[in-house]
Amino acid sequence: MSDSERKLPLLEILDASVDYCVENVKAVSAFVCTNLLFLLVSFLLPGGYAHPMFLVWLAVYYVFWCYFFRFYFNRKPYFMFKKICDSLVPSTKILFLTAVFALIFAAFPIVLPFLLPVEMVDAYTNFLRKYLNELDWVIFLILLLISPLILYRPFMAWISSVIGRSGQLKTAFARTEGNYWRFVAMGIVFNAVFIVFEFVDRIVDVSEIWLVFFSAPLLVYFNIVVAKTYEFFFLDAMENKD
């Protein structure tokens, strides 16, 4: 079967990720606790993202995830400065793609009135006021639909660069070809638990600090799922080189 014909068995990947957590409970627990500390520091920073120390936090957090994937794939030494620097190329491309699409969707409602006939501007403004909350969900849905193109498939290139392989986006897209809807399904799974939490929060007004504790293990598990996904598409290439 060619690479382009390989179909991601998402349910098997999710199940295998749970098995990995059980079989490596000490290591996974250490990553969860460390991730929790990172998230708590971010949560407690005065001003949050606007705090000057946030960029330092972000850089160290980035190194943490580089270490995580090198550990998962047993690429010693787990901390390797050169590979961290190499990984900045695909990560920058991912960030650029995400930022461009986010900017387009954020700016579109503002720019649209200038493109509409004058007589339609008032109707459009009233529409925004009435359906502003629903508009957020529309943007979320659109970002979910394009997430395979701007996040999940490019993320395979980032993992490659972190563990010492080619970080070319075209390779990542070629190997994951034909799996668009499977990656959309992965995005739905990843986001569903947080949507449920937000729904519960609206009902019982849960403190935001609980989202930090809620997110710490889930983020580690989701990255294990991503690592398993990488294994599925790239393991043969890794074995050939090794």
Side-chain angles (χ1 to χ4, degrees):
M1 179 181 293
S2 66
D3 292 331
S4 62
E5 294 176 332
R6 303 197 72 189
K7 301 301 182 182
L8 179 67
L10 182 55
L11 293 180
E12 292 180 17
I13 294 292
L14 294 171
D15 186 58
S17 300
V18 172
D19 292 340
Y20 179 88
C21 293
V22 173
E23 294 167 2
N24 301 274
V25 63
K26 290 184 178 180
V28 172
S29 297
F31 280 115
V32 169
C33 291
T34 305
N35 190 37
L36 177 60
L37 289 176
F38 272 109
L39 296 179
L40 285 172
V41 169
S42 174
F43 180 80
L44 296 174
L45 275 178
Y49 301 146
H51 195 282
M53 288 300 294
F54 176 74
L55 291 178
V56 176
W57 174 90
L58 189 63
V60 179
Y61 196 44
Y62 183 86
V63 173
F64 165 73
W65 286 115
C66 289
Y67 184 97
F68 170 85
F69 281 101
R70 288 189 65 83
F71 175 86
Y72 178 91
F73 290 103
N74 196 28
R75 297 294 183 177
K76 298 180 180 180
Y78 299 138
F79 176 83
M80 194 170 183
F81 185 74
K82 183 181 183 302
K83 297 306 176 187
I84 292 175
C85 292
D86 291 343
S87 70
L88 291 175
V89 176
S91 64
T92 301
K93 291 178 180 178
I94 295 171
L95 181 62
F96 176 77
L97 287 171
T98 304
V100 167
F101 280 97
L103 182 62
I104 290 174
F105 290 125
F108 183 73
I110 300 173
V111 174
L112 186 57
F114 296 96
L115 305 177
L116 293 173
V118 176
E119 61 272 15
M120 294 182 62
V121 173
D122 287 341
Y124 173 76
T125 303
N126 293 331
F127 175 83
L128 279 185
R129 290 173 181 172
K130 185 176 181 181
Y131 296 104
L132 186 61
N133 291 333
E134 287 75 7
L135 183 62
D136 290 340
W137 283 103
V138 171
I139 294 175
F140 167 78
L141 179 60
I142 294 174
L143 289 174
L144 178 65
L145 291 174
I146 63 175
S147 61
L149 304 177
I150 67 173
L151 180 60
Y152 296 116
R153 294 171 70 188
F155 200 64
M156 301 294 107
W158 181 82
I159 294 176
S160 285
S161 65
V162 167
I163 63 176
R165 300 187 57 78
S166 172
Q168 293 186 354
L169 288 177
K170 66 178 182 180
T171 302
F173 274 82
R175 286 189 167 271
T176 56
E177 184 179 353
N179 287 272
Y180 169 81
W181 288 110
R182 285 169 172 79
F183 280 110
V184 170
M186 178 182 291
I188 292 173
V189 172
F190 286 0
N191 285 280
V193 287
F194 293 104
I195 292 174
V196 170
F197 184 91
E198 182 179 349
F199 178 75
V200 173
D201 180 41
R202 290 184 178 182
I203 296 176
V204 298
D205 193 22
V206 180
S207 173
E208 290 185 4
I209 190 66
W210 290 110
L211 180 59
V212 174
F213 286 92
F214 183 73
S215 301
L218 283 176
L219 288 175
V220 172
Y221 172 73
F222 290 158
N223 277 285
I224 293 173
V225 173
V226 172
K228 289 289 182 185
T229 301
Y230 181 89
E231 280 185 321
F232 177 78
F233 288 113
F234 290 81
L235 183 58
D236 56 341
M238 293 172 64
E239 289 177 342
N240 289 336
K241 183 171 183 177
D242 293 343

